[in-house]
Amino acid sequence: MLEHAHELLDRARRLILSRVERGFEVQTKADGSPVTSVDLEVEQMLREGLEERFPEHGIIGEEFPPHNPGADYQWYIDPIDGTHSFCAGIPLYGTILALHHRGRPELGLIDLPALGERYSASKGQGAWMNGKSIQVGEGVGEPIIATADRAQFQRVGREGALDRIMLRFPHVRAYSDCFGHAMAVRGSAGAMVDFGIRAWDLAASRVLVEEAGGRYEVVHQDGDRFCVILGRPAVVQAVLTCI
Amino acid sequence: MLEHAHELLDRARRLILSRVERGFEVQTKADGSPVTSVDLEVEQMLREGLEERFPEHGIIGEEFPPHNPGADYQWYIDPIDGTHSFCAGIPLYGTILALHHRGRPELGLIDLPALGERYSASKGQGAWMNGKSIQVGEGVGEPIIATADRAQFQRVGREGALDRIMLRFPHVRAYSDCFGHAMAVRGSAGAMVDFGIRAWDLAASRVLVEEAGGRYEVVHQDGDRFCVILGRPAVVQAVLTCI
């Protein structure tokens, strides 16, 4: 299943980069967030690839209704996480693909097409970036803390948490979306603090960071919006303490 | 001279990526900032390339003393801008190379090795990214505002400016260093607000952003530390108004 996930993400990356080259349309969704023709095209391609290979599995994706919602195995898809960056031409967007079994994450993948970086993990088998084993490590000096945009904290009424983090840590960077998650998984950031996100935004991150020796905490849930912190255990603890 | 600058940055990129692959040493400078063996090696290579080709020109670089300080033509070198990111494994560092004539910027180049992006401009000849003409453009919706880390604003006692920017703009991202400058030059960010930086950090940015149709403002100077804002004219104006 991991091998198939890699193959699908290879296809997604090629599709995305070809659309960046040629240009694409941007529309606004009912919730005010942007969506592009590329989001729809990539999710459709991933769904078809998964349905063909695993017809009995369920699929939960950002742009289309759930498929087989009662199945034990559920795939999560975010075709372009970081659509705001993607539309603006900022190369820090990516594709998220994850597989959960009865609610437990089994596989987690983040692909960053513009950076040529692929993060993957499977339960009990370690975490990898482009074929190299990765660990969150111990870090040296003041950690970089990656966070969502302030607008995301405001959406769930938690700007105070961001303010406290910025007072405590000198290197707080709004490395939104899956780029921030990836930086925490590889230990480049001490932690990623992502507030107000949805199931497909975080579906790959728990298995990725835990397999890299890190800690994952859901600190708050309000309806379908989650607030999570992931990264080096000591830094996650320090962030939890300060918020 | 632009052609020679491109050739030197091609060599710098190859050198940097080979050192990332093989690993490198990190030390701490007198001012507490990190420096690596790669910073020294890249600046040495660039200096040798410039001295050989333009023996009468001056060179001002981050890691070594000035060369020919009285010359009309002065090259500025920052071998690795974003050393903190570079050491942490965050792919948003880059090399800056610029040429000024009697204090007026003539050439500006930013190379982002891990992203494979090269930004270049020469006075009166336009701004380019990987051979494509770029413009800051008009933008749609709320702009992304790139900024230095909070620690940089604190260094010059201007945290208040960052706080006011964060209250006014919902998408403020600490895209520090030349990555933030590049995002403003291509119009992906509405503006880059970089406080507390030195001559080599900003030497390429004025000609880059002006040739891309943007605006460049030095809002403050304290000794050898500069505070600059660059980007789309309307967004630069909005940032100036709110700080």
Side-chain angles (χ1 to χ4, degrees):
Chain A
M1 290 191 276
L2 179 60
E3 196 179 330
H4 193 60
H6 275 298
E7 284 168 22
L8 288 174
L9 286 181
D10 289 345
R11 287 165 59 188
R13 185 190 286 191
R14 285 196 297 272
L15 186 55
I16 289 167
L17 293 176
S18 75
R19 295 303 178 260
V20 167
E21 192 62 31
R22 148 187 128 173
F24 51 84
E25 283 173 37
V26 182
Q27 296 179 320
T28 303
K29 288 198 280 193
D31 68 355
S33 65
V35 63
T36 73
S37 52
V38 192
D39 293 75
L40 301 173
E41 200 177 4
V42 172
E43 182 163 333
Q44 193 65 51
M45 185 276 285
L46 292 173
R47 281 176 175 265
E48 284 169 11
L50 292 170
E51 286 177 28
E52 188 185 313
R53 183 73 173 264
F54 309 112
E56 74 289 4
H57 289 188
I59 303 177
I60 296 168
E62 178 158 19
E63 309 300 343
F64 296 97
H67 171 73
N68 285 347
D72 281 354
Y73 280 106
Q74 292 288 338
W75 290 91
Y76 288 80
I77 299 173
D78 193 345
I80 297 184
D81 185 50
T83 304
H84 193 172
S85 291
F86 183 66
C87 295
I90 293 172
L92 308 184
Y93 60 86
T95 304
I96 298 170
L97 188 58
L99 175 65
H100 291 197
H101 181 252
R102 297 185 179 174
R104 271 195 5 219
E106 293 286 335
L107 300 182
L109 298 96
I110 293 174
D111 190 59
L112 303 173
L115 275 62
E117 295 187 354
R118 168 88 45 84
Y119 296 82
S120 64
S122 61
K123 191 76 186 164
Q125 306 292 315
W128 307 82
M129 195 278 276
N130 290 358
K132 281 187 186 170
S133 173
I134 50 173
Q135 283 284 319
V136 295
E138 294 295 321
V140 191
E142 277 291 345
I144 291 167
I145 308 295
T147 73
D149 281 5
R150 188 174 194 82
Q152 283 292 109
F153 288 85
Q154 286 169 333
R155 188 196 279 272
V156 289
R158 300 290 296 266
E159 308 96 292
L162 181 59
D163 290 336
R164 284 189 289 279
I165 290 166
M166 295 192 75
L167 286 176
R168 163 67 183 79
F169 297 95
H171 301 289
V172 177
R173 298 184 178 175
Y175 283 165
S176 324
D177 313 313
C178 58
F179 176 72
H181 289 243
M183 291 304 106
V185 167
R186 72 187 281 171
S188 293
M192 168 69 179
V193 184
D194 207 359
F195 275 30
I197 58 174
R198 301 177 73 185
W200 39 81
D201 296 319
L202 55 79
S205 296
R206 178 173 201 150
V207 63
L208 275 165
V209 78
E210 288 184 350
E211 289 295 322
R215 178 174 169 190
Y216 176 93
E217 288 290 332
V218 177
V219 291
H220 186 70
Q221 185 184 350
D222 182 9
D224 62 350
R225 296 278 171 185
F226 297 83
C227 299
V228 302
I229 305 177
L230 55 136
R232 287 202 283 274
V235 180
V236 171
Q237 185 58 45
V239 173
L240 283 168
T241 304
C242 97
I243 66 172
Chain B
M1 289 191 274
L2 180 60
E3 196 180 330
H4 192 62
H6 275 297
E7 284 168 23
L8 287 174
L9 286 181
D10 289 344
R11 287 165 57 187
R13 186 191 285 192
R14 285 195 297 273
L15 185 56
I16 289 168
L17 293 176
S18 76
R19 295 302 178 260
V20 167
E21 191 62 32
R22 147 188 128 172
F24 52 83
E25 282 173 36
V26 182
Q27 295 180 319
T28 304
K29 287 198 281 195
D31 67 356
S33 66
V35 63
T36 73
S37 51
V38 192
D39 294 72
L40 302 173
E41 200 176 5
V42 172
E43 183 163 334
Q44 193 64 50
M45 185 276 285
L46 292 172
R47 281 176 175 265
E48 284 169 11
L50 292 170
E51 287 177 29
E52 188 184 313
R53 183 71 173 264
F54 309 112
E56 75 288 5
H57 289 188
I59 304 178
I60 296 168
E62 178 159 16
E63 310 299 344
F64 296 95
H67 170 75
N68 284 349
D72 281 353
Y73 280 106
Q74 292 288 338
W75 290 91
Y76 288 80
I77 300 173
D78 192 346
I80 297 185
D81 185 51
T83 303
H84 193 171
S85 291
F86 183 66
C87 295
I90 293 173
L92 308 184
Y93 60 86
T95 303
I96 297 171
L97 188 59
L99 176 65
H100 292 199
H101 181 252
R102 298 186 179 174
R104 269 193 7 216
E106 293 286 335
L107 300 180
L109 298 96
I110 293 175
D111 190 60
L112 303 173
L115 275 61
E117 295 186 355
R118 168 87 45 84
Y119 296 81
S120 64
S122 63
K123 191 76 187 163
Q125 306 293 315
W128 307 82
M129 195 279 277
N130 290 359
K132 282 186 185 168
S133 172
I134 51 173
Q135 282 285 320
V136 295
E138 293 296 320
V140 191
E142 277 291 347
I144 290 167
I145 307 295
T147 73
D149 281 6
R150 187 175 195 81
Q152 283 293 109
F153 288 84
Q154 285 169 334
R155 187 196 280 271
V156 288
R158 300 289 298 265
E159 310 96 291
L162 181 59
D163 290 336
R164 285 188 290 280
I165 290 166
M166 295 193 76
L167 286 175
R168 164 66 183 79
F169 297 95
H171 301 289
V172 177
R173 298 183 177 174
Y175 284 165
S176 325
D177 313 313
C178 58
F179 176 72
H181 289 242
M183 292 303 107
V185 167
R186 72 187 281 172
S188 294
M192 169 68 180
V193 184
D194 207 358
F195 274 31
I197 59 175
R198 301 177 73 185
W200 39 81
D201 297 319
L202 55 78
S205 296
R206 178 172 201 149
V207 63
L208 276 165
V209 78
E210 288 183 351
E211 288 296 322
R215 177 174 169 191
Y216 176 93
E217 287 291 332
V218 176
V219 293
H220 187 71
Q221 184 184 352
D222 182 9
D224 63 349
R225 296 277 171 187
F226 296 83
C227 301
V228 302
I229 305 178
L230 55 135
R232 288 202 283 274
V235 180
V236 171
Q237 184 58 46
V239 173
L240 282 169
T241 305
C242 96
I243 65 171

